[in-house]
Amino acid sequence: NAGVTQTPKFQVLKTGQSMTLQCAQDMNHNSMYWYRQDPGMGLRLIYYSASEGTTDKGEVPNGYNVSRLNKREFSLRLESAAPSQTSVYFCASSEIRGGAEAFFGQGTRLTVV
Amino acid sequence: AQSVAQPEDQVNVAEGNPLTVKCTYSVSGNPYLFWYVQYPNRGLQFLLKYITGDNLVKGSYGFEAEFNKSQTSFHLKKPSALVSDSALYFCAVRDTNDYKLSFGAGTTVTVRA
């Protein structure tokens, strides 16, 4: 049982390049989340999805787009990368029922130069 | 809007001494509360949660947390800390009427031998 799988694990982009971070979960969870982690800032929510076909903005959505392709997959796209998007990105999923904890992937370390 | 505050960036304790990591929260309705731990270069691991009922909840690795509704707090505790407890700890909250999961900035715990 793989849980939450993120690809790639590491990526270096040049300013202005685009890329998509992939996330897949095999736990049949309805809710999925994208966070970024920066030193001293904790985890900040970028986007989340309560179910297939629905997405909502979190605290820091600017510069990102998401796609909930199906129940398993939730991708995060940077259309024109900026140095301020250098961060570690985490995907998570959880059951929709009340009080269920979220499960996290191992993260993607992105550097924009 | 919902939010989480972890007032201490760092907590330092000697091995064998009690460990407390503080967390306060704000939600519109009632909260689900969570604690996670992150070891270097790893994803987040779930420790424990409060859903309803008993205000003292017990979790993994000897950790426990006390929910205090009047003080809107959910402090993490361990009676006797181990060097291996040294890590980054995150508190998280979700309103029972929403799917958005918000995290605090994190507290770095260092347990010295």
Side-chain angles (χ1 to χ4, degrees):
Chain A
N1 195 344
V4 180
T5 302
Q6 291 183 235
T7 55
K9 288 185 171 51
F10 301 94
Q11 184 71 47
V12 178
L13 288 179
K14 293 182 179 179
T15 298
Q17 286 185 318
S18 62
M19 80 161 295
T20 300
L21 281 64
Q22 307 286 354
C23 175
Q25 51 94 6
D26 61 3
M27 296 172 282
N28 203 36
H29 287 164
N30 284 293
S31 299
M32 296 187 74
Y33 308 83
W34 275 107
Y35 294 89
R36 59 178 289 174
Q37 182 179 17
D38 303 291
M41 304 291 288
L43 272 76
R44 292 183 291 170
L45 183 61
I46 305 172
Y47 272 93
Y48 61 112
S49 170
S51 63
E52 181 181 351
T54 68
T55 60
D56 290 286
K57 293 180 179 179
E59 305 162 56
V60 288
N62 292 343
Y64 305 95
N65 287 302
V66 290
S67 178
R68 184 74 184 267
L69 304 169
N70 47 53
K71 193 172 185 179
R72 290 187 64 247
E73 298 171 292
F74 189 37
S75 62
L76 179 72
R77 182 161 179 85
L78 286 70
E79 291 291 352
S80 179
S84 61
Q85 294 179 304
T86 294
S87 187
V88 180
Y89 292 85
F90 287 99
C91 177
S93 71
S94 73
E95 283 281 357
I96 207 166
R97 61 180 169 82
E101 64 269 26
F103 293 81
F104 281 78
Q106 291 301 298
T108 295
R109 186 174 295 274
L110 175 67
T111 301
V112 183
V113 297
Chain B
Q2 60 188 42
S3 64
V4 177
Q6 293 181 240
E8 300 160 318
D9 292 336
Q10 292 198 3
V11 170
N12 299 305
V13 298
E15 188 172 36
N17 282 1
L19 170 63
T20 299
V21 186
K22 296 179 180 177
C23 170
T24 59
Y25 68 90
S26 173
V27 293
S28 302
N30 293 311
Y32 295 128
L33 293 156
F34 307 86
W35 275 101
Y36 287 82
V37 61
Q38 184 182 36
Y39 297 99
N41 301 313
R42 303 292 299 274
L44 275 72
Q45 298 176 28
F46 168 74
L47 276 180
L48 52 77
K49 64 183 176 183
Y50 170 82
I51 302 175
T52 187
D54 194 349
N55 289 341
L56 183 65
V57 294
K58 295 185 183 298
S60 307
Y61 313 117
F63 284 95
E64 57 189 31
E66 187 165 11
F67 171 63
N68 187 316
K69 187 172 184 177
S70 64
Q71 297 185 3
T72 61
S73 66
F74 189 56
H75 301 330
L76 180 70
K77 300 180 181 182
K78 187 171 184 180
S80 178
L82 300 172
V83 172
S84 56
D85 293 328
S86 299
L88 181 56
Y89 291 80
F90 289 100
C91 181
V93 68
R94 200 174 92 215
D95 190 304
T96 57
N97 294 318
D98 197 359
Y99 308 112
K100 182 179 177 182
L101 179 63
S102 299
F103 283 79
T107 298
T108 299
V109 170
T110 301
V111 182
R112 60 185 185 277

